[in-house]
Amino acid sequence: MNSKIRVLHVDDEPVICDLTKLTLERGGKLTVDAVHSAQEALELLQTGQYSCIISDYEMPQMNGLDFLKEVRNVDKLIPFILFSGRGRETVIIDAINTGADFYIQKGGEPKALFAELNHKVDYAIQQRNTRLALKRRDSVLEAISLVSNLFLGGEPFDKAIIEAITLFGLATEVDTVRLFKLEEKSETNDNIPHFIRNVASWIRISIHKEEREEYIRTNPIQVKPELISPILNGKPLIADPSKILYLDPFRGELSAKSVAIFPVFVNQKVWGLIWFADYISERNWTGVEIDALLAASSMIGSAIQQDVMKNSLIAAKEEYASMYSLMRRLCDTVPDILWAKDNEGKFIFINQAGAEFLKAPDTREPVGRSESDFPKTNITPCVSSNIYVSDHSKHILVETDSGKTDFEILSVP
């Protein structure tokens, strides 16, 4: 996202402020806000919109060094350049020791002076962004480790997803994280999902009205095909804040200043997307952050896939148990002895008629035992019996020497 970088310049001389603004904004990358006192600057810093501070030293009420100390109490990383006409060595040393990134002395040829200032601003911002990106990347990777433990720890899936989204939100320091699932298809193009549904959300602060949040959490949201297409191709989308992925029914409300969207894959298909948004200040997403968040989206996709497989296995097991229970009850209604043995001659199944013949208390008693454990009886394999289940499991056919019995399955309890 190539958004303009905001710089705050503090100087009690309006002419210097005008020259700085004119020179630094000429390249088109920077926006300079100028104020004439440290107190005004401290108030503006509360908005969190600035990437660098340029300050004079000699100013009324609060000088540049005292202003720097106040800034460092609020933000340890924001670049601070002391741009002053006072060049005493002690001032320079105090500025560096207090946390200034650079000291530039006013005077000399203006073109060279402001070229140096422009270079120092650009370099300081790049260094700061690199430090922040690496810090956020490390935080995301640490969050991925914690999230993997969440899903492996046996915690309920829905709760684990919400905790995972929260961890990724804290790690990236964004304002909002949302997990959306792709839903209904477009009527004009079956390959483009028409709606997304919110699965989990995390919000740092109350940036939206409650009714808007409630709507997003509980309703399918219509998406714009031209913006969802890159995500379906497996690519992250670093969106222009003027463009929004979905059609927001609450127009005119606070818009995101930066958005990063990543596909979530389940079974090698795009299942949904995870959305990171800033509403208070702009952000430049760097390559190391994007790589870490791609890993985070992969972790979420793997967890969803494992949950889908787990639920499928549970459903299949329950269906098998129901069918097996029904088959046993049907076999127990047959007057002939029905049984099955393993390679060692031990019973693995016997119906009620067989249990009664063996004088066993129930059909479970013979399982795992051989016929010799029941010496007073002798099952002669003169009666052949077979059990067939049709392809669609609608009929169970029991076939013996005395005839065939066809049971139609009306329902599975």
Side-chain angles (χ1 to χ4, degrees):
M1 184 182 297
N2 297 317
S3 56
K4 286 189 176 182
I5 299 168
R6 302 184 72 87
V7 175
L8 181 60
H9 186 201
V10 191
D11 199 307
D12 60 336
E13 297 183 46
V15 175
I16 298 296
C17 289
D18 291 342
L19 283 172
T20 303
K21 183 177 178 67
L22 180 65
T23 306
L24 296 185
E25 289 185 348
R26 186 175 297 162
K29 292 195 306 182
L30 304 177
T31 297
V32 179
D33 294 338
V35 294
H36 305 305
S37 72
Q39 193 59 47
E40 289 178 88
L42 288 172
E43 291 175 3
L44 285 177
L45 282 174
Q46 299 301 318
T47 63
Q49 296 181 350
Y50 296 100
S51 300
C52 183
I53 300 172
I54 304 170
S55 176
D56 187 21
Y57 174 73
E58 290 185 338
M59 296 183 292
Q61 297 180 349
M62 185 184 297
N63 65 30
L65 284 180
D66 292 333
F67 173 51
L68 173 57
K69 291 175 184 177
E70 292 293 328
V71 169
R72 286 293 174 249
N73 288 333
V74 177
D75 191 332
K76 303 291 185 184
L77 297 178
I78 187 168
F80 191 102
I81 299 173
L82 199 62
F83 186 48
S84 176
R86 187 165 183 171
R88 291 204 316 263
E89 185 177 341
T90 54
V91 173
I92 299 172
I93 294 173
D94 286 345
I96 300 301
N97 289 338
T98 307
D101 293 85
F102 297 106
Y103 179 94
I104 300 176
Q105 187 172 350
K106 296 175 184 176
E109 201 274 315
K111 185 175 181 180
L113 176 66
F114 283 100
E116 181 186 5
L117 178 61
N118 200 349
H119 172 71
K120 289 292 194 293
V121 168
D122 188 53
Y123 180 79
I125 290 173
Q126 285 187 27
Q127 291 294 102
R128 183 217 186 201
N129 288 343
T130 299
R131 290 195 297 268
L132 282 176
L134 292 173
K135 174 178 173 288
R136 287 169 180 158
R137 179 205 63 184
D138 293 343
S139 296
V140 171
L141 294 178
E142 183 179 356
I144 289 174
S145 176
L146 294 173
V147 167
S148 65
N149 290 332
L150 274 177
F151 291 114
L152 293 173
E155 195 164 2
F157 180 76
D158 291 343
K159 183 179 179 182
I161 277 287
I162 293 173
E163 291 184 15
I165 296 299
T166 300
L167 286 170
F168 290 139
L170 295 173
T172 54
E173 300 177 350
V174 295
D175 297 321
T176 303
V177 181
R178 298 189 190 279
L179 178 64
F180 287 106
K181 181 181 180 181
L182 303 179
E183 287 213 333
E184 301 174 35
K185 304 291 184 180
S186 169
E187 295 179 359
T188 57
N189 189 342
D190 290 340
N191 295 322
I192 302 295
H194 200 42
F195 291 94
I196 53 177
R197 184 178 291 276
N198 186 83
V199 175
S201 295
W202 174 83
I203 302 174
R204 178 183 296 277
I205 55 177
S206 181
I207 53 179
H208 299 307
K209 293 180 181 178
E210 268 314 307
E211 55 266 30
R212 183 182 186 279
E213 271 304 309
E214 182 64 22
Y215 183 89
I216 292 174
R217 290 174 185 269
T218 57
N219 291 275
I221 307 295
Q222 189 173 6
V223 296
K224 297 179 180 178
E226 68 273 15
L227 293 181
I228 198 70
S229 295
I231 298 171
L232 293 178
N233 292 326
K235 299 177 181 178
L237 176 64
I238 310 302
D240 184 332
S242 65
K243 298 176 181 177
I244 194 71
L245 178 70
Y246 52 80
L247 301 178
D248 193 343
F250 294 85
R251 290 183 175 87
E253 296 219 3
L254 186 64
S255 298
K257 295 184 181 294
S258 65
V259 178
I261 307 169
F262 299 86
V264 175
F265 286 89
V266 175
N267 290 328
Q268 299 181 341
K269 294 182 180 179
V270 178
W271 172 92
L273 55 96
I274 185 168
W275 155 299
F276 300 84
D278 280 304
Y279 289 83
I280 304 304
S281 59
E282 297 176 355
R283 175 191 299 234
N284 291 319
W285 296 91
T286 64
V288 292
E289 288 180 281
I290 290 172
D291 289 343
L293 290 175
L294 280 170
S297 66
S298 296
M299 166 62 70
I300 293 294
S302 297
I304 293 172
Q305 182 170 336
Q306 290 296 322
D307 186 63
V308 170
M309 292 175 61
K310 176 183 175 182
N311 291 335
S312 297
L313 288 172
I314 291 174
K317 184 178 179 181
E318 290 175 350
E319 183 179 1
Y320 172 80
S322 297
M323 289 297 300
Y324 182 75
S325 175
L326 177 61
M327 186 190 74
R328 283 204 62 99
R329 292 201 299 273
L330 291 173
C331 289
D332 286 341
T333 65
V334 176
D336 298 294
I337 299 173
L338 305 177
W339 52 268
K341 296 180 181 180
D342 60 18
N343 292 334
E344 297 179 356
K346 295 182 178 179
F347 290 106
I348 57 176
F349 167 81
I350 193 166
N351 69 344
Q352 185 64 39
E356 291 174 357
F357 181 78
L358 295 175
K359 296 182 172 49
D362 53 47
T363 58
R364 292 173 296 178
E365 178 70 19
V367 175
R369 301 172 65 182
S370 62
E371 192 178 332
S372 60
D373 294 330
F374 302 88
K376 296 182 180 180
T377 62
N378 181 29
I379 299 177
T380 304
C382 59
V383 177
S384 62
S385 60
N386 297 288
I387 300 174
Y388 304 95
V389 180
S390 69
D391 291 342
H392 300 289
S393 299
K394 293 182 179 178
H395 292 265
I396 291 180
L397 180 65
V398 178
E399 180 180 344
T400 69
D401 284 349
S402 60
K404 300 179 180 179
T405 306
D406 184 7
F407 297 92
E408 182 179 359
I409 301 175
L410 299 178
S411 64
V412 178

